[in-house]
Amino acid sequence: MLTKRQLLQYVGSAAGAAGVYRTMAALGMLGVSSLTGCSSPSAVSQSVGDGKRVVILGAGIAGLVAAYELDRMGYDCTVLEATARAGGRSLTVRSGDVIEEFGGRQRVNFDDKAYLYANMGPARIPYHHRAILDYCKAFEVDLEVFTNDNRAAFFQVRGSLGDQAVVARQLHTDQRGYIAELLAKAVNRNALDQELTAEDKERLLSMLKDFGDLQDDYMYVDSGRAGYQGQHVSKGLVGDAMPVEPLGLRQLLGFDASDLWWALRFSHGVNQNPTLLQPVGGMDMIVEAFKARVGHLIRYESVVEDIANQSAGGVRIGYSHRGTTMEALHADFAICTIPTTVLRDIDNNFSEATRAAIESRKYDAAVKIAFQARRRFWEEDHFIYGGISWTNYNDIQQIWYPANGYHRPKGVIMGAYIFGEDEFDRDFALDFAKMSHSQRLEHALASGERVHPGYRDELEVNTGVSRAWSEVPFQKGSWPSAPVPIAALEVPDGAVYFAGDHTSALSGWQEGSAQSALAVVEAINKRVMA
Ligand code: PHE
């Protein structure tokens, strides 16, 4: 009979790394895998790693996933974390927390209640991000629905409709109505006879009528989908309530609008469409679950100064601990999850190709600003339960309503979420990053006022928290600007492997971090078993 190890070697030569990984998963040798869900700890072989030493640089999601998997397979792991906390960009702030940027510290003044928190980093998990969701499942991290697309939320485009915020259900309905009407006209004027048979035309017309809620003559007049006039959104008790007046076609087209169209279809993106999820109590519940398992492997406040592949094999990591003592660790392998924005300034003896890759990987600067509100005015006044309002007025871009704590007395609203250098003519996120904390809050309040008149008074202004990821020590950016992996970071440089969302095709997602870590675990296993 084959031993597990022999079987893996056999599968390795026949099926490549992915085959090894799948086989290990099937044998219960990986703690968690996207193929099997979770496996019981007792089923995990302790022998694969054989006591080999691995030093993991960074206790963000990638580092935690790598530590968890390798530890279970018998590797001897140490995680060096530059800051005093694990999680990296996965940052949930609550009452009393102190967070740091280059420009200073902020204290979080939310009330001390479990539902009053803000995810200043990752905040949503798409349903198909299986690696991160499988860890949630295995670690029993409770999840709840995160609402991305909310038809009761608002869109506001500078210079259009007198800057007025328009409710999302109206824009969606009118956009579909006019597209359907115009296409039906083209069909009925025989403009598409080259493309369509008579039968196709009949079928398309019936599709369009339903798509746009058209009248029998294929005209878009109005639609209850946009809501009804009067006090209630739906008809309520008023049987003869009339649908709200649609925007005119020309008004709709008059939106100065590339931002609007992009935002209107945002949740059609495969990573943004329902169902999205969030951990109950804050995104860092995932980090906490990892810490419960591998927290003892983390050395906090350990700043890597020097990464040196050794000529005899293995790697030496020089680091300073608590800003004073210089220490060194020798290991068989290193897994470096440090963002390239920071890594580029760390001494190393990497190859030219690796250095060029690190140098070329630029980061975006995303900003989030949160406030505690005195009352949940978005629920009480507008029936908004979670979701996003979009504005391109004064640059806050998005207001996120909390997808938790419904109907509680207070709530934490994300008063700005700014990113997307490429979509807008200016990089508003960088503009915000350069401001002082109080200037950021002031801007967010002034902009929010345009979407929600009376906004400033509804918020407890002294609770404002801002996070500009470009200004955060040991991060210096939110996520890589170009969402393509760089080949030179997908392979090891000597004994140093690279992981983190910036090495994956899913940059800006915890899933990219987790998957990149799993790929490195697989690659190290393969090398050890060869
Ligand atoms: N994942 C983050 C978000 O959902 C950042 C991101 C935004 C990444 C858009 C890619 C595209 O907001």
Side-chain angles (χ1 to χ4, degrees):
M1 211 185 108
L2 289 173
T3 63
K4 269 186 186 176
R5 192 173 171 134
Q6 285 167 328
L7 175 63
L8 288 171
Q9 272 165 0
Y10 171 76
V11 174
S13 54
V20 173
Y21 182 73
R22 272 195 290 276
T23 307
M24 291 179 74
L27 290 173
M29 292 172 74
L30 292 180
V32 174
S33 88
S34 32
L35 301 155
T36 59
C38 44
S39 57
S40 75
S42 58
V44 176
S45 165
Q46 287 291 313
S47 65
V48 188
D50 212 14
K52 289 239 168 345
R53 284 192 56 71
V54 182
V55 57
I56 297 163
L57 311 182
I61 295 296
L64 292 170
V65 166
Y68 175 75
E69 297 296 345
L70 291 172
D71 179 58
R72 290 162 69 87
M73 288 184 277
Y75 290 87
D76 176 2
C77 298
T78 305
V79 185
L80 297 180
E81 166 55 41
T83 71
R85 56 169 278 279
R89 281 160 285 163
S90 175
L91 172 69
T92 304
V93 296
R94 304 179 178 81
S95 172
D97 287 350
V98 175
I99 59 169
E100 206 172 328
E101 291 187 6
F102 292 119
R105 295 175 160 215
Q106 298 168 41
R107 200 190 133 82
V108 181
N109 295 319
F110 300 160
D111 293 355
D112 187 7
K113 295 262 194 264
Y115 75 100
L116 295 172
Y117 66 80
N119 291 324
M120 304 305 283
R124 47 188 165 200
I125 308 176
Y127 62 94
H128 48 83
H129 282 193
R130 297 315 311 177
I132 206 76
L133 286 172
D134 278 354
Y135 284 113
C136 291
K137 182 175 172 184
F139 300 163
E140 297 180 10
V141 174
D142 285 334
L143 299 172
E144 62 196 354
V145 169
F146 171 90
T147 300
N148 223 16
D149 180 4
N150 186 335
R151 302 301 166 94
F154 295 101
F155 285 83
Q156 184 197 40
V157 178
R158 183 175 48 232
S160 300
L161 285 182
D163 295 342
Q164 208 185 308
V166 184
V167 70
R169 58 179 174 264
Q170 165 132 45
L171 282 171
H172 282 281
T173 304
D174 291 346
Q175 187 186 39
R176 288 171 77 105
Y178 289 120
I179 287 172
E181 179 187 302
L182 289 168
L183 188 47
K185 278 181 180 152
V187 170
N188 282 328
R189 287 175 198 164
N190 307 323
L192 297 173
D193 283 4
Q194 278 188 351
E195 287 80 6
L196 302 171
T197 66
E199 190 188 29
D200 292 340
K201 284 165 72 171
E202 276 318 303
R203 290 181 168 174
L204 179 58
L205 284 170
S206 118
M207 189 223 274
L208 289 171
K209 196 167 162 208
D210 187 71
F211 182 84
D213 204 11
L214 305 181
Q215 306 290 309
D216 287 342
D217 60 359
Y218 301 104
M219 295 299 284
Y220 177 62
V221 174
D222 58 22
S223 168
R225 295 176 191 174
Y228 289 85
Q229 294 177 28
Q231 234 181 322
H232 298 279
V233 176
S234 59
K235 281 190 176 176
L237 290 176
V238 189
D240 58 355
M242 294 293 292
V244 294
E245 284 283 317
L247 298 171
L249 171 63
R250 205 142 280 129
Q251 258 180 327
L252 194 67
L253 294 177
F255 275 101
D256 173 19
S258 56
D259 303 350
L260 175 73
W261 305 139
W262 175 78
L264 259 188
R265 64 117 184 97
F266 184 73
S267 61
H268 286 252
V270 76
N271 287 314
Q272 300 290 354
N273 65 176
T275 301
L276 293 125
L277 298 151
Q278 65 182 8
V280 174
M283 188 56 82
D284 66 352
M285 291 299 154
I286 297 174
V287 175
E288 291 303 318
F290 275 105
K291 270 168 63 186
R293 288 156 181 86
V294 292
H296 59 286
L297 303 176
I298 305 174
R299 235 179 148 205
Y300 292 101
E301 296 179 87
S302 299
V303 178
V304 175
E305 311 273 359
D306 177 30
I307 303 172
N309 275 303
Q310 305 291 284
S311 47
V315 58
R316 179 188 178 282
I317 307 293
Y319 66 100
S320 62
H321 186 58
R322 298 231 158 115
T324 51
T325 53
M326 275 301 292
E327 306 191 11
L329 260 181
H330 286 86
D332 297 292
F333 305 107
I335 301 177
C336 177
T337 73
I338 300 171
T340 54
T341 45
V342 175
L343 183 57
R344 67 165 55 114
D345 296 325
I346 295 175
D347 285 343
N348 64 69
N349 62 357
F350 294 147
S351 71
E352 275 314 308
T354 305
R355 285 185 205 223
I358 292 167
E359 201 57 43
S360 71
R361 179 51 110 202
K362 302 281 187 286
Y363 272 58
D364 275 4
V367 174
K368 281 188 172 181
I369 300 174
F371 295 95
Q372 180 172 292
R374 292 177 208 289
R375 69 176 184 110
R376 301 174 77 96
F377 61 89
W378 53 92
E379 289 171 9
E380 291 175 16
D381 301 351
H382 306 289
F383 320 142
I384 295 172
Y385 292 84
I388 304 173
S389 283
W390 296 81
T391 170
N392 70 355
Y393 210 105
N394 279 351
D395 47 34
I396 52 169
Q397 289 182 9
Q398 307 175 54
I399 294 176
W400 284 24
Y401 310 95
N404 77 317
Y406 305 118
H407 290 175
R408 298 285 179 96
K410 294 186 176 181
V412 173
I413 194 170
M414 192 59 74
Y417 176 25
I418 313 161
F419 66 82
E421 197 169 345
D422 300 333
E423 310 287 342
F424 301 88
D425 24 18
R426 275 169 66 193
D427 190 337
F428 287 124
L430 269 185
D431 292 348
F432 264 85
K434 283 183 216 127
M435 294 177 203
S436 70
H437 171 60
S438 54
Q439 284 173 321
R440 291 177 193 160
L441 300 189
E442 191 43 51
H443 256 72
L445 290 169
S447 304
E449 189 73 35
R450 303 222 165 232
V451 182
H452 290 290
Y455 190 67
R456 188 187 293 267
D457 294 331
E458 299 283 7
L459 302 180
E460 296 173 15
V461 172
N462 72 318
T463 64
V465 190
S466 71
R467 192 68 162 167
W469 284 99
S470 63
E471 306 309 303
V472 175
F474 308 111
Q475 295 295 343
K476 291 188 174 176
S478 52
W479 54 75
S481 312
V484 284
I486 296 181
L489 297 180
E490 288 187 86
V491 292
D493 185 302
V496 182
Y497 289 75
F498 299 96
D501 67 307
H502 59 284
T503 69
S504 81
L506 266 173
S507 64
W509 294 99
Q510 296 177 102
E511 181 72 5
S513 301
Q515 282 194 20
S516 72
L518 288 172
V520 164
V521 167
E522 177 188 319
I524 289 178
N525 273 331
K526 211 181 164 201
R527 188 149 149 192
V528 167
M529 288 186 295

